[in-house]
Amino acid sequence: MTPTPSGSRASAIPAAVYVLAAGVFAMVTSEFAVAGLMPQLAESLDTDIAQIGYLVTIFALAMAFGGPLLILALLRIPPKTAIMVVFAIFFAGNLLAALASSYSVMVVARIVTGIAAQAFFGLAVSVCMRIVDASVRGRAVSVAMSGLMLGTLLGLPLATSIGGRFGWQSAFWTVAVLTAVAATLTLALVRNPRDSEEADAETATFSEQLRAFRSPRLLLALVSSTLIIGATFSVFSFLAPILTRVSGFTEGSVPLLLLAYGAATLVGNFVVGRLADRHTVPTLLVGTLLNIVFLLGFAVGTGSQPLAILFMLGIGLVGVTMNPAMAVRVQRAGGTGVLVNTIHTSFITFGVVLGSALGSRLLAEYGLRAPIVLGVVLAVLAVAAILPALRDPRPRAAIAAESESATREEQPMYAG
């Protein structure tokens, strides 16, 4: 095997990673499109806002359960081919959504696109890690996941604006076009990792893929990811009503506040990506502890507009932005295989469902501050799931070397 390059070449992030970020952006824009078009969808599909809200839950559940199943069906084919198959499924799902004339058809479209989106996230993270040097895997994931942050920051208002002006169907047509562009760029610029044939030989069977999940380190890493994301989404899911009804902001100012929150996530994602490779567990621990502080501050001080903005931005900096560090921790515990990374993204999705579902229940009984308190509790539990990793007696280099040996993925170069 060719030695791993050193110096600037080893630390470079190839164009393929940015292309995969474009795919993530398309997936996230489709995911959030429904949230911005609820009134139009309800009127057109002859239903109510509550039923349209279930389309968000259906998408998340399809991601969590269907994504890993799709990956299992694609295990024996090269990663780039698998990505193109997923793009085709996602494209078809968005066409179905754009052409939907009934609520039931839209449900099917959301299931199809949710399954494809989750599979794509797992493939994207796995490929990113396998085409770069081991020392910059966190940075590579942060670049790919910038598509997630930009989807939140720009994708939602883009879909809402286009759908509001030209009809909700146009939002899904737009996502279909974005998908086609991302797929074309992927076809041109993304190649299979050179280790793919070896990896396929090692991970060809379902039982072999599942062996990684015998590791307590991996299970704790997965649980901590669920709790970190759950803590964040227990608040993010209800930011708009909290800001208007508790903090006293006008409805017209909420989009600007959410834009500021999205900008904070971009900054946090960049910083965490720089720290994730060399300081994985400390980054997760410090970030989650800071999130506890910001969540507590938001729960207590949200009645004050300046404090509400300050703590909201803090949550944006250290919440969902832990993704690169979470991915590196999972990789070191279970390898960079596609199934491990797809199931990791399913655990992240469970966090979204956990935070929003429990938050809704508590909100109904105890008011708008209750989901924030839930976020504090989930973040504290996340710290408990992170702490055992600090007690690992092996040096970081040994852990990285073990992971490299287990997955045979030292080579960051491309193969055709």
Side-chain angles (χ1 to χ4, degrees):
M1 184 174 291
T2 306
T4 300
S6 59
S8 60
R9 287 184 62 196
S11 62
I13 303 298
V17 175
Y18 293 89
V19 169
L20 292 171
V24 171
F25 176 80
M27 306 282 166
V28 173
T29 300
S30 178
E31 177 182 0
F32 290 159
V34 165
L37 299 169
M38 284 187 174
Q40 299 96 312
L41 282 165
E43 181 179 356
S44 178
L45 300 178
D46 194 25
T47 186
D48 55 31
I49 294 292
Q51 289 296 109
I52 298 300
Y54 283 127
L55 293 176
V56 177
T57 305
I58 288 168
F59 190 98
L61 291 174
M63 288 180 68
F65 293 103
L69 295 177
L70 178 56
I71 286 298
L72 286 175
L74 300 174
L75 275 180
R76 291 181 177 270
I77 65 177
K80 179 178 178 179
T81 306
I83 288 174
M84 298 309 297
V85 170
V86 170
F87 268 133
I89 295 171
F90 187 75
F91 182 81
N94 278 286
L95 288 185
L96 183 62
L99 297 171
S101 57
S102 68
Y103 182 78
S104 59
V105 173
M106 181 60 77
V107 167
V108 173
R110 296 299 282 175
I111 291 172
V112 171
T113 50
I115 290 172
Q118 186 79 327
F120 182 84
F121 293 155
L123 284 162
V125 171
S126 178
V127 170
C128 282
M129 287 188 164
R130 292 162 63 182
I131 63 175
V132 300
D133 186 75
S135 64
V136 292
R137 283 175 172 168
R139 281 179 55 197
V141 172
S142 75
V143 170
M145 289 300 104
S146 66
L148 171 62
M149 312 306 167
L150 288 172
T152 306
L153 183 65
L154 302 177
L156 174 58
L158 174 69
T160 303
S161 176
I162 291 175
R165 184 169 183 179
F166 301 106
W168 64 264
Q169 295 90 342
S170 62
F172 292 101
W173 284 114
T174 300
V175 173
V177 171
L178 290 174
T179 303
V181 171
T184 302
L185 291 172
T186 299
L187 194 62
L189 297 174
V190 177
R191 298 184 179 182
N192 287 310
R194 184 166 290 178
D195 69 336
S196 61
E197 292 182 3
E198 292 177 339
D200 289 344
E202 290 180 356
T203 61
T205 68
F206 177 69
S207 60
E208 288 171 338
Q209 283 283 293
L210 287 180
R211 285 176 188 167
F213 296 94
R214 296 177 182 176
S215 166
R217 289 173 56 227
L218 176 58
L219 295 178
L220 272 175
L222 294 172
V223 169
S224 68
S225 293
T226 297
L227 294 169
I228 289 168
I229 298 302
T232 302
F233 271 83
S234 66
V235 176
F236 177 73
S237 302
F238 308 100
L239 263 183
I242 290 172
L243 292 172
T244 54
R245 299 179 189 177
V246 180
S247 302
F249 289 102
T250 63
E251 290 188 1
S253 65
V254 169
L256 292 177
L257 292 170
L258 293 179
L259 189 67
Y261 177 91
T265 66
L266 276 177
V267 174
N269 182 64
F270 175 81
V271 173
V272 173
R274 292 283 172 170
L275 297 172
D277 295 296
R278 294 179 60 85
H279 309 287
T280 308
V281 176
T283 298
L284 283 172
L285 182 59
V286 172
T288 307
L289 288 171
L290 284 173
N291 206 18
I292 292 173
V293 173
F294 293 137
L295 286 164
L296 281 171
F298 196 53
V300 174
T302 191
S304 164
Q305 291 187 352
L307 289 178
I309 293 175
L310 175 65
F311 292 121
M312 178 196 71
L313 293 178
I315 295 167
L317 283 171
V318 296
V320 69
T321 57
M322 291 296 109
N323 257 302
M326 293 188 306
V328 173
R329 184 185 178 194
V330 165
Q331 171 259 313
R332 289 179 177 165
T336 57
V338 176
L339 184 60
V340 168
N341 284 284
T342 303
I343 289 181
H344 181 217
T345 56
S346 288
F347 271 80
I348 290 172
T349 303
F350 288 141
V352 176
V353 175
L354 178 69
S356 58
L358 287 181
S360 295
R361 181 69 179 270
L362 292 171
L363 183 152
E365 294 189 20
Y366 302 105
L368 282 165
R369 279 189 171 89
I372 311 175
V373 176
L374 170 66
V376 175
V377 173
L378 293 177
V380 169
L381 293 174
V383 168
I386 294 167
L387 285 174
L390 289 176
R391 296 198 296 266
D392 196 316
R394 296 165 297 169
R396 183 175 63 245
I399 295 172
E402 175 189 286
S403 172
E404 292 300 298
S405 175
T407 57
R408 298 185 188 178
E409 292 165 354
E410 301 92 336
Q411 173 59 262
M413 303 298 287
Y414 296 102

